[in-house]
Amino acid sequence: MTLTTALIAGLVLGGTYALVAMGLTLQYGIARIMNLAYGDTIITAAFAAFILQGGLAVNPLLGLALVVPGGFLLSYLIYRLILSHLVARASDRGALEVDSILTTFGLLFVIQGVLLVLFGGNYTSYSFLNVAVDIMGAKVAANRLLALALALSIGLTLYLLLTRTRWGTALRAVAVAPQSAALVGIDVNRAAAFAFALGGGLAAAGGVVISMYQTFTATAGVVFTMKALIVVIMGGVGNLLGALCAGLLLGVVETLVSTYVDPGLTLAATYAIFLVVLLWRPQGLFGRVAR
Amino acid sequence: MTYSKGGRCLPSFTALATILGLALAPLVAATPAGAQDRTSVKIGYAVSKTGANAGGAAITTIPNYRLWLHDVEKNGGLELPDGSKLPIELVEYDDRSSAEEVVRAVERLAGQDQVDFILPPWGTGFNLAVAPLFDRYGYPQLAVSSVTDKAPQFVQRWPRSFWFLGGGSDYTGALASLLSAQVEAGTINNKVAMVSVADGFGIDLVSAARPAMAEAGMDVVLDRTYPVGTNDFTTLLNEAAASGADTFVSFSYPPDTFALTEQAQVADYNPKVLYLGVGAGFPPYGRKLGDKAEGIMTLGGIDAKNAQNMAYRERHKEVTGEYPDLWGSVITYASLQMLQEAIRRVGLDREAVSAELSGGTFQTVLGETKLQDNRLRDLWLVGQWQDGQLVGVAPADRPGASEVILPRQPWK
Amino acid sequence: MRTVIGFALAGVVLAGLAVAPLYLGPYGTGLLIGMTGYVTLASAWAMFSGPTRFVSLATVAFFGIGAYTMAVLYESLPYPLVLAVAALVGLVVALVVGLSTLRLAGVYFVIFTFGLAELVRQLVTWYEVNVTGTLGRYLFVSFGSEVIYWQLLGLCAATFLIAWVIGRSRIGLALKVIGDDEVVAVHCGISTARVKLALFAVSSVIITLVGAIQAPRWTYIEPLIVFNPTVSFLTLIMALLGGAGRLWGPLVGAVPLFLLFEWLSANFPDHYSIILGLLFMAIVFVLPKGVLEFAETGLRRLRRRPPQDGSATVAGKEVEG
């Protein structure tokens, strides 16, 4: 396997990680909710896509148009009905972190339980767009390529929106200084709810795309949460482009380790790199030191 | 206020005593109900309904327990030697895929619920975790979903344990001799690329496969292990393709098996022998792949001409909504039938039931079934998808075996 | 005086708990093992995380290290020595980890400790696969579950004793300052790093020992079984529910939660997750600062009112002492 093919395979793999991580970085960075149930949102979307595809014969790409707004709405409701009370009550960021970890941990169980009752614990998969695309001699699955394309386009679009529009500036202000943001007339709660919902929508998009090529079970959510969390921390909390780059980087590292070192160490390498980044630059590879 | 130094100790202590008292009261109070005039047979099990093992348990174990309970109920209950029938009273726990939970749940079933029989949990590790308890409390253990070469030693250690699914060397030995026969026939070269998942099952099988392959004159040119949870196999498949091996073997778990299948198509990787691990025997696997499944080999398989088995498959579909998998499911169900029949013959005495299971001959969905040294030895060790069915191809001398068809046709 | 009464009471309760398996039968003993295990884990966790407010998810890393050490060495070394080795391994890992990570703050520490648990699991797996060539290890011990229980109970008592001593010592005072404001602590001349490290090490060694003592219960040891991340989460939840800042907090959280899990898994095996999750969220909303603080606030309110009928005895006793 040449270096080029390894790199391409890594980038495509990383596309999935990046796609999954961007929603979490919005939720955690802007809405300040450490959402442990994030992965279960992804799984729920995957099941939704599975139902649409299998039961109603809806093309998963069209399914995106249904599932993503669904994820957005669901997350919005979760924030408004449950999480906003925690935010209102928290005295400082630390307290909110502990509260949100605990609450979303409970939420994780609820979602998982509902999925288990609805679908059972079985492995679920279907296949869509599982055709090879040739990129510079490397054969890549079209569905995974789609994940990469989606990650790149969503990442860049959102980045532009966040940096170039008034609305985006408001969201960023909330991320950096929620108290002061309120002083300059930003409805912090509304902005946070929106960011959280947006994150949920992104998770749903990730879920639909992942369901096209990956086997999932009702209980697999936590795996996605952890992968996403690693990418988010590496990229710098709240940093969309950071998450994008960190996701791609992680994919490349895993593929390189698998190719040149030992496939048995890919996950160990992931965690090792992650720990090193945390120690060396706790603000993330792309985060700024003072925030 | 005199409430000051160390004051916090006392109220908390009172609270602590109360809590503990409340906690333990029901344990002490609960005494076993009289067993003389019984109106039911109590059967219990603890199985992973949630957590990491839930996927496996939901395929092989839980649906078959449900189906069996359903069948017994339809039959009017469990039949006893005097011809009377008693309904089953079910006690079930979720072990949440935790070893400590499964151990405690079995202690609970044996000590607290005092069930008449305990059905085993899912998985090799969990069956071993509870084996000392089954033994201590005198319950027969029908360990189905555990693949282990150490079964003979376990039978020595726990004489009431029964092992139904063979060991790693059974499967890999059968595969190796099948391969070497194909090499002699000139169908394939003697090179093998082998990958395995870094977990109990994968390591057991790959450790057994290495000597088996060497003995059969096969040359393992690629031998890699990947961590549980890997879902990108691009590198491994590329390496395997570059190794020049005609045979690709993966001792993988269901998600990996599915991913390997998908990615082998994308990479247009076409080994002449494609042998995949757990999951390749799941009915949705064959359904999803359709024609492309033709020729893929895995552990297990069935004799499609066995009418009882085919009827069982239809009943399974009817009751649980899905066809059973083509490896462990039918054996799980057969083990329950053996239990049922043993109870019919000798009653509810656990010692007698164990002896009957050990020495008796049973008519089950597998056909005539008899254990040797508490182990089921009549197994399909290699199966191959042929005409939409996963048929047993090895051991080739077992009645009902199909002829293996190689080389496998490339992906279409 | 109160201390003496406290110790006497503790002694009585301990003695009662120690003889309990003789009357309870296997399931009762199993329940006590599970409960004592989690009380110890939660208390050890709170010993470090309570005062420092560093939320650690590394519990299962140490728990698993303990269990693995037991599985690896049981055949070749006498049992007490295996425990000692396990404690030593736990200590070394804790010191290495502590030295490198305790400067991380907030959620970074949380994530780091989680990553650490996963890293340890991956490395153990890799080592077993590539170096020893077997993954599962068998652990056949000659003693019964009562013995496991007594060891756990002893460890649990020791944990409380250590926590109590720390609470009364200079370190305890230092910890309170660190927890309140680390900057102030540094200005007071407290070596925050050293105090935190010491605490992390003690807490980790206890957790390692819990894993080592409990391992023989499972007969078969493999990384997926002993490095089960649920252990970290449950420990954390139990400690926080009771109140991590108090000596008895983890106990008050662990016992009822443990029994609740047990009850749920028996009575609602199919809806266990949903009910558990909802309860969880309810706990966070109703008891945000832990049961103990909630109860104390309630008590204080009670005391302010003139004592009436039933509540008089409770309030009266408090004031007398």
Side-chain angles (χ1 to χ4, degrees), chain A residues 28 82 85 89 102-103 105-107 109-110 113-114 117 226 229 262 265 267-268 271 274-275 278-279 282, chain C residues 100 103-104 107-108 111-112 114 118-119 122 126 233 237 240 270-271 273-274 276-278 280-281 284-285 288:
Chain A
Y28 185 40
I82 305 171
H85 300 285
R89 146 183 127 185
L102 292 178
T103 312
F105 187 60
L107 191 62
F109 275 104
V110 174
V114 172
V117 170
M226 280 332 293
L229 209 50
D262 181 346
L265 286 176
L267 292 188
Y271 287 111
F274 165 65
L275 297 188
L278 263 185
L279 292 176
Chain C
S100 55
R103 61 197 182 87
L104 290 176
V107 84
Y108 295 117
I111 311 295
F112 181 93
F114 185 90
E118 290 296 303
L119 179 69
Q122 294 295 338
W126 186 84
F233 281 112
I237 299 296
L240 289 181
D270 291 317
H271 300 92
S273 294
I274 302 180
L276 178 71
L278 289 175
F280 225 96
M281 286 153 73
V284 180
F285 275 86

Side-chain angles (χ1 to χ4, degrees), chain B residues 67-79:
Chain B
L67 175 64
W68 181 66
L69 292 166
H70 170 90
D71 285 355
V72 170
E73 195 186 298
K74 229 173 57 185
N75 185 39
L78 272 181
E79 197 178 334

Side-chain angles (χ1 to χ4, degrees), chain B residues 165 167 170-171 174-175 275 298-300 379-383 394-395 398:
Chain B
L165 220 49
D170 295 330
Y171 292 97
L175 175 65
Y275 177 97
T298 181
L299 311 87
L379 292 166
W380 290 115
L381 299 172
V382 183
R398 186 178 169 189

